[in-house]
Amino acid sequence: MGEVAGAAFGSWTFAPVLSLLLLLTGAVYFRGWRALRAQQPERFKPWRLTAFWGGLLTLWVAISSPLDAFGNLLLQVHMLQHWLLMMLAPPLLWLGLPAIALLRGLPVTVQRQGLGPLLAWPALRRLGRFLTHPLVAWFSFVIATWLWHAPAAYQLALRSPFWHEVEHACFVVTALMFWHPVILPWPSQSSWPRWAILPYLVLADLQNTAFSALFAFSEGVMYPVYASGPRLFGITALEGQASAGGLMWVLGSVAFLLPVGILLGRLLQSRGVRPGTLRAVESAPAVSPSARSRAPAPPRDLLRVPILGRILGARYFRRWLQTAMLLLAAVIVLDGLAGPDLSPLNLAGVLPWTYWRGFVVIGLLVAGNLFCMACPFMLPRAIGRRLLPRGRSWPTALRSKWLAISLLVAYLVAYEVFALWDSPFWTAWIVIGYFVAAFVVDGFFRGASFCKYLCPIGQFHFVASTVSPLEIRVRDSAVCARCSSHDCIRGNATQRGCELDLFQPLKSGNLDCTFCLDCVQACPHENVGVLAVVPGLDLIRDPMRASIGRLSARSDFAALALVVVFGAFANAAAMVAPVAEWKTQLAQRLGVSSPGFLTAALLVPSLTLLPALAVAACTWAGRALGRPEQSAAELARRFALILVPLGFGLWFAHFCFHLVSARASALPAIQRAAETWLGLAGEFGAGMAALPGWLLPLELLALDAGLLLTLYLGWRVARTSTKSLRRAGGLLLPWGILALLLYAVGFWILLQPMQMRGTGML
Amino acid sequence: MWGRALMILATLLVPLSARADGGLARLVVDSGEFRLTVFSSPTPLRAGPVDLSVMVQDRETLEPMLDRRVELRLVPSAGGRSLEVAAIRGHSTNRLLYSALVDLPDPGRWRIEVEVTGARAGARESFEVWVGAERPAVLALWPYWALPLIAIGIFGLHQWRSQKLRRLNPGRVG
Ligand code: SF4
Ligand code: SF4
């Protein structure tokens, strides 16, 4: 029995979305509770926090514990789960006075601009009042209980996970409604006198008694599904039903009658309290005046985080990163040139195409342009500067992104045409080519011309880092206004200034920023930080930017963004089976013998002509519908940028797929390289690991987030173009349709069988 | 009060992320020294990923037996390739069940054979199920495309409310 009990109690489900949501709710509540406790310690006592967290924990236990796993085998276990969802979690949550605390825990902008207009909506307030009216709440609770326990509905929920979730949702919502008038969490007020809650609870208990008795004394099995299942632990369906009835009877009565006792005590006690004492607490303002006028908190600064900030700000931190990456690049080149030309067993096949790309997109999502920060090509650039006659300026005619865009297109096409992921040899040569180009360009030209005007990888990072949550920016613009040395751009005796000509007071966003932190080191006033920003918002701002100018006047930036966005779709589509099949058939029909030629012939227009046509059509339609004042070119440039989050969503999904599907592929390649170069013999492990169930949901959610951010940015751009809501809608419509079309294509791509590139399973 | 509505809306999300376990009991049979119960999910069965779980109990005491070997064989009645898979306890949420995730390629009638082997004796049982046509992946994954639509709807509402508030309080920003 010990082993069985162990297995039974080990039957926990880990529901990542639920757990994350509850954790997030708990954290937001804590933030609000702490702020409110500082103002109203009498009201927000520690037990309120315990109660709210206890309510969340109860919800989590009800859904994740063995109660859920055994609910379809044992009725009494299922009833216990329902009791937790309906009788324990909701009152605990209300006891935490969650409404104000949760709101207070949110950032001020979200409170005011996000939730404010919705919460001030009279219809929503009326709905809230209606739902928590004692009569409505009581009947909803009772009807939900009885209806969902009717045999047809109950068994439907047992058979179908979807209906099971709907059932639980109904229970939680109606139970929250039911317990609201009982707890009456501050600052709610009831139109009913407090004593009326006594019959409210007693009547609920009476119906619970009738409900439980039905189970306890029924002579037939109410839910045949339990009769047709295994008699676990020898318990028959009828016995299970009777004990479920008893359980509900006892636990239900405790839940209903305990508050009756407490309330009765309070009512009797309050007769002795001087009028006004209680009311003084009850009528305290919902949010204190100081809270109402709360200014937004200053943005978080990574450099001020203990330990991490010190490490990041250390003078040679970046050098160490670059040296480590340089060594890695050297190993990749060595293995690529002299190791086996077998991608899954070669470091040049596995490390760049599986790991590096995956970690780069994760880094961009959680921080910023970390790859440029650790760029291994910095050292050859520095050597080039010493050895070659540096001093020329980059030709004025080439001071744009057009050359880099051409190289990015060439790189994306070459990747497919030459199957670079499958050729360690050519991968090594690309790395060498990079070293030579960085050495020569920065050896002859001033500044970081290679990074700014040529490097296609850098351009990808610049564009993608516009949706990153961190930005290198001045902490206080007033300090810059008083500064006369401008070391952040000019440099000083010990530290060079920004090589990319980004003058901090005029810098906006992450475009062209390599996260080198030179400006951080150079500023004598310690006025440059790594600050938190709202991802993507920089794409809709149009200030005069240092070294860039206005984005609304830069066609090259718009074109770069479009190549990155359409590149995401073209690159991902090329690796799914239906597209590969279609390409083969097309080649046969056209009599094309070279698949590489056909790939190039399809890819080049997909990255250039197709986005150009799409943008032209959207601009034309947007202008016709929205009649904005801006020129067509300006609109095209501004709206093209809003597609970046959607493109990044797909890049993220795509590279995460490779990283996760081939997560074990480094091991055999490292073992093989260790044997070849160091003579350390070992067994070659497997490069493939099963795809985890959360991968596809994660990919789809990344795409969802990309779409929503794109649409939001589009809306903001449209609103700055016209004051009228209708015209803004018209202006956005074609771009919204384009984004939805791209989203649908991305969704379809993610559902297709994909090549396991880098694992040898093509 | 708006706080109530906020709370109710927030908690709506919570149970939606929960997952049920188990499925429909397809077969309960006493066989050899065992009582075997086979569950399948989803209900109704469809081509595509299918979860098959087996509970093995002692026929006399009905105590779950956790140290047996359970093999499943799925044979299409219309002929074609049959599938063989081992059901193991680590796969299921309910650790008393032996489970396997099988990708059923075709709709139609399938015979499912269950073979249990143990230290002393074994048992073999079979039953038939009807498998419907595969549910398109787009339908199966509806929450993922519905999520943006819901968000767009709420955002539309938000903008409409903001506009209205601005009209009522022209001096207010936000
Ligand atoms: S960032 Fe520092 S060096 Fe640059 S202008 Fe501001 S205060 Fe001066
Ligand atoms: S110096 Fe500062 S602004 Fe310039 S690239 Fe480096 S981190 Fe970015």
Side-chain angles (χ1 to χ4, degrees):
Chain A
M1 190 66 192
E3 196 191 353
V4 172
F9 286 112
S11 300
W12 288 76
T13 329
F14 179 63
V17 180
L18 169 81
S19 308
L20 205 73
L21 260 171
L22 293 181
L23 270 178
L24 206 69
T25 311
V28 171
Y29 175 87
F30 176 69
R31 197 165 172 256
W33 173 86
R34 207 174 44 174
L36 288 165
R37 181 163 166 73
Q39 295 171 341
Q40 303 180 44
E42 274 306 299
R43 178 166 282 137
F44 286 89
K45 293 189 171 156
W47 71 264
R48 299 272 183 201
L49 175 70
T50 316
F52 188 78
W53 278 0
L56 294 181
L57 185 69
T58 308
L59 278 180
W60 187 76
V61 167
I63 304 295
S64 305
S65 74
L67 293 179
D68 196 56
F70 282 87
N72 64 339
L73 300 178
L74 297 166
L75 178 59
Q76 59 273 51
V77 173
H78 207 169
M79 289 304 137
L80 188 59
Q81 184 189 36
H82 290 176
W83 184 81
L84 291 179
L85 290 174
M86 300 177 83
M87 311 274 200
L88 190 59
L92 284 175
L93 290 173
W94 285 132
L95 280 171
L97 313 182
I100 300 294
L102 281 173
L103 261 185
R104 188 65 197 270
L106 292 169
V108 180
T109 337
V110 179
Q111 284 175 38
R112 289 193 188 150
Q113 286 167 24
L115 290 174
L118 288 178
L119 295 177
W121 189 14
L124 196 65
R125 286 164 172 249
R126 274 200 299 276
L127 180 71
R129 272 197 297 274
F130 172 76
L131 291 179
T132 51
H133 187 279
L135 275 181
V136 177
W138 196 92
F139 279 106
S140 304
F141 178 79
V142 171
I143 289 171
T145 307
W146 285 80
L147 276 187
W148 274 111
H149 287 92
Y154 185 89
Q155 296 193 118
L156 172 72
L158 276 191
R159 278 200 308 271
S160 150
F162 172 77
W163 285 110
H164 199 205
E165 286 162 13
V166 173
E167 178 198 44
H168 285 175
C170 275
F171 284 162
V172 174
V173 171
T174 54
L176 279 168
M177 289 162 63
F178 176 85
W179 288 104
H180 187 275
V182 178
I183 309 287
L184 206 61
W186 175 82
S188 317
Q189 280 167 354
S190 174
S191 47
W192 280 27
R194 225 40 205 128
W195 62 261
I197 296 304
L198 296 176
Y200 178 92
L201 285 165
V202 172
L203 284 174
D205 185 49
L206 285 180
Q207 68 81 35
N208 178 63
T209 304
F211 180 70
S212 312
L214 202 67
F215 284 80
F217 302 123
S218 171
E219 289 181 356
V221 174
M222 289 168 65
Y223 307 129
V225 75
Y226 287 110
S228 64
R231 280 175 49 205
L232 201 54
F233 310 119
I235 304 169
T236 64
L238 211 55
E239 287 164 357
Q241 188 172 292
S243 61
L247 201 73
M248 284 187 291
W249 203 327
V250 175
L251 291 180
S253 292
V254 170
F256 292 124
L257 297 181
L258 191 69
V260 168
I262 296 174
L263 208 62
L264 206 58
R266 285 248 177 105
L267 286 169
L268 292 175
Q269 219 177 21
S270 67
R271 294 186 149 209
V273 176
R274 268 187 301 126
T277 317
L278 241 165
R279 231 173 293 140
V281 178
E282 295 299 324
S283 59
V287 180
S288 75
S290 65
R292 280 178 197 279
S293 57
R294 213 152 42 106
R300 297 204 184 274
D301 188 341
L302 202 63
L303 293 180
R304 296 218 160 125
V305 173
I307 304 173
L308 185 65
R310 287 189 73 125
I311 295 174
L312 274 174
R315 189 162 194 82
Y316 294 107
F317 168 69
R318 197 186 176 212
R319 267 292 131 76
W320 298 335
L321 278 183
Q322 287 165 357
T323 311
M325 289 294 281
L326 184 69
L327 286 175
L328 212 57
V331 169
I332 286 171
V333 169
L334 178 71
D335 211 32
L337 292 179
D341 204 20
L342 198 62
S343 176
L345 288 181
N346 195 305
L347 293 176
V350 170
L351 295 185
W353 302 119
T354 300
Y355 287 87
W356 168 64
R357 296 190 307 178
F359 286 123
V360 158
V361 288
I362 292 172
L364 283 162
L365 189 75
V366 301
N369 191 353
L370 299 184
F371 175 78
C372 285
M373 177 188 257
C375 178
F377 307 119
M378 282 296 170
L379 195 69
R381 287 179 55 209
I383 297 173
R385 279 182 203 138
R386 295 237 168 121
L387 300 182
L388 297 177
R390 187 170 177 251
R392 288 156 216 255
S393 301
W394 185 253
T396 317
L398 298 180
R399 283 189 199 169
S400 67
K401 296 290 179 188
W402 292 113
L403 201 54
I405 293 170
S406 317
L407 289 171
L408 183 58
V409 171
Y411 166 75
L412 291 172
V413 173
Y415 175 79
E416 283 303 326
V417 171
F418 302 112
L420 291 180
W421 71 90
D422 204 26
S423 173
F425 182 75
W426 284 113
T427 303
W429 274 110
I430 289 174
V431 180
I432 294 171
Y434 245 98
F435 276 115
V436 173
F439 174 80
V440 171
V441 172
D442 281 5
F444 283 103
F445 297 99
R446 275 202 300 267
S449 306
F450 179 74
C451 307
K452 200 170 173 83
Y453 301 115
L454 284 176
C455 176
I457 299 174
Q459 309 313 310
F460 176 89
H461 297 147
F462 293 154
V463 172
S465 62
T466 55
V467 291
S468 296
L470 295 174
E471 178 187 326
I472 290 169
R473 202 176 69 219
V474 292
R475 289 172 173 147
D476 183 355
S477 46
V479 175
C480 291
R482 292 194 297 271
C483 171
S484 56
S485 64
H486 296 173
D487 290 12
C488 60
I489 185 96
R490 289 187 191 143
N492 52 39
T494 55
Q495 177 62 55
R496 68 172 171 230
C498 180
E499 287 192 295
L500 285 107
D501 287 336
L502 301 174
F503 180 41
Q504 278 302 324
L506 290 179
K507 178 178 179 282
S508 173
N510 284 331
L511 284 172
D512 275 6
C513 176
T514 59
F515 262 58
C516 67
L517 305 184
D518 284 350
C519 50
V520 173
Q521 307 283 354
C523 175
H525 309 286
E526 295 191 1
N527 193 32
V528 184
V530 182
L531 304 182
V533 284
V534 180
L537 275 200
D538 187 52
L539 290 165
I540 54 173
R541 281 196 285 261
D542 195 26
M544 185 57 93
R545 293 164 197 253
S547 169
I548 292 174
R550 287 193 199 282
L551 285 178
S552 59
R554 293 288 303 258
S555 302
D556 53 341
F557 273 92
L560 177 61
L562 288 171
V563 170
V564 169
V565 172
F566 280 72
F569 291 85
N571 191 249
M575 60 172 244
V576 299
V579 174
E581 269 167 39
W582 172 76
K583 224 170 63 185
T584 312
Q585 286 168 4
L586 188 69
Q588 282 168 356
R589 215 172 298 155
L590 298 176
V592 179
S593 56
S594 158
F597 174 77
L598 185 65
T599 304
L602 290 170
L603 262 179
V604 174
S606 313
L607 297 172
T608 52
L609 200 62
L610 189 64
L613 287 176
V615 165
C618 289
T619 307
W620 175 80
R623 269 171 69 80
L625 293 169
R627 282 176 280 137
E629 284 164 11
Q630 291 99 324
S631 69
E634 190 179 328
L635 282 178
R637 288 178 203 125
R638 295 209 62 193
F639 274 101
L641 296 173
I642 64 155
L643 297 170
V644 170
L646 183 56
F648 180 74
L650 190 60
W651 280 118
F652 179 84
H654 178 176
F655 288 166
C656 278
F657 171 81
H658 287 307
L659 182 65
V660 175
S661 64
R663 61 191 179 278
S665 62
L667 203 62
I670 291 171
Q671 284 174 330
R672 203 279 313 143
E675 188 178 321
T676 306
W677 305 113
L678 305 173
L680 302 171
E683 287 267 303
F684 293 175
M688 271 303 295
L691 284 182
W694 50 262
L695 182 59
L696 183 60
L698 177 81
E699 292 175 48
L700 296 175
L701 285 175
L703 200 64
D704 284 354
L707 172 74
L708 288 175
L709 189 52
T710 283
L711 292 176
Y712 174 69
L713 297 181
W715 176 246
R716 293 282 302 266
V717 173
R719 290 294 277 145
T720 55
S721 305
T722 166
K723 282 212 157 48
S724 147
L725 209 61
R726 184 127 39 96
R727 283 189 184 188
L731 187 55
L732 176 64
L733 187 67
W735 296 95
I737 292 173
L738 175 63
L740 284 170
L741 278 175
L742 286 172
Y743 170 80
V745 172
F747 204 97
W748 177 81
I749 289 172
L750 294 178
L751 298 189
Q752 303 310 309
M754 294 202 183
Q755 288 177 355
M756 303 283 202
R757 291 177 174 178
T759 61
M761 296 184 65
L762 298 180
Chain B
M1 204 52 202
W2 42 260
R4 302 170 204 170
L6 166 76
M7 191 63 199
I8 289 168
L9 280 176
T11 46
L12 255 174
L13 290 170
V14 174
L16 285 177
S17 43
R19 300 237 32 223
D21 187 51
L24 193 69
R26 293 278 177 179
L27 172 82
V28 185
V29 64
D30 289 336
S31 178
E33 63 178 35
F34 309 119
R35 167 169 291 188
L36 302 180
T37 311
V38 184
F39 299 90
S40 70
S41 177
T43 308
L45 276 178
R46 293 175 177 280
V50 162
D51 178 73
L52 293 170
S53 306
V54 183
M55 175 166 278
V56 182
Q57 290 167 283
D58 184 294
R59 188 177 179 159
E60 299 302 321
T61 63
L62 292 182
E63 183 166 335
M65 305 180 95
L66 306 180
D67 55 353
R68 297 299 187 265
R69 233 178 106 78
V70 178
E71 305 278 345
L72 297 168
R73 189 154 178 264
L74 294 93
V75 188
S77 297
R81 197 169 63 91
S82 58
L83 309 168
E84 280 176 37
V85 61
I88 57 172
R89 279 184 41 233
H91 275 175
S92 52
T93 308
N94 185 332
R95 296 296 157 122
L96 302 185
L97 300 175
Y98 298 80
S99 299
L101 195 66
V102 191
D103 202 1
L104 282 182
D106 303 308
R109 193 161 287 285
W110 286 74
R111 193 174 75 252
I112 299 180
E113 297 171 6
V114 187
E115 186 174 355
V116 180
T117 46
R120 281 171 291 129
R124 182 194 280 265
E125 292 296 333
S126 71
F127 61 101
E128 294 213 327
V129 290
W130 173 258
V131 175
E134 186 169 9
R135 196 167 165 215
V138 172
L139 286 186
L141 294 164
W142 69 268
Y144 296 95
W145 53 259
L147 196 72
L149 295 183
I150 294 168
I152 292 168
I154 293 175
F155 183 73
L157 205 64
H158 174 274
Q159 287 301 302
W160 171 66
R161 282 300 312 157
S162 304
Q163 175 93 346
K164 203 149 188 184
L165 278 181
R166 264 195 296 268
R167 242 183 261 144
L168 289 174
N169 305 307
R172 239 183 76 153
V173 189

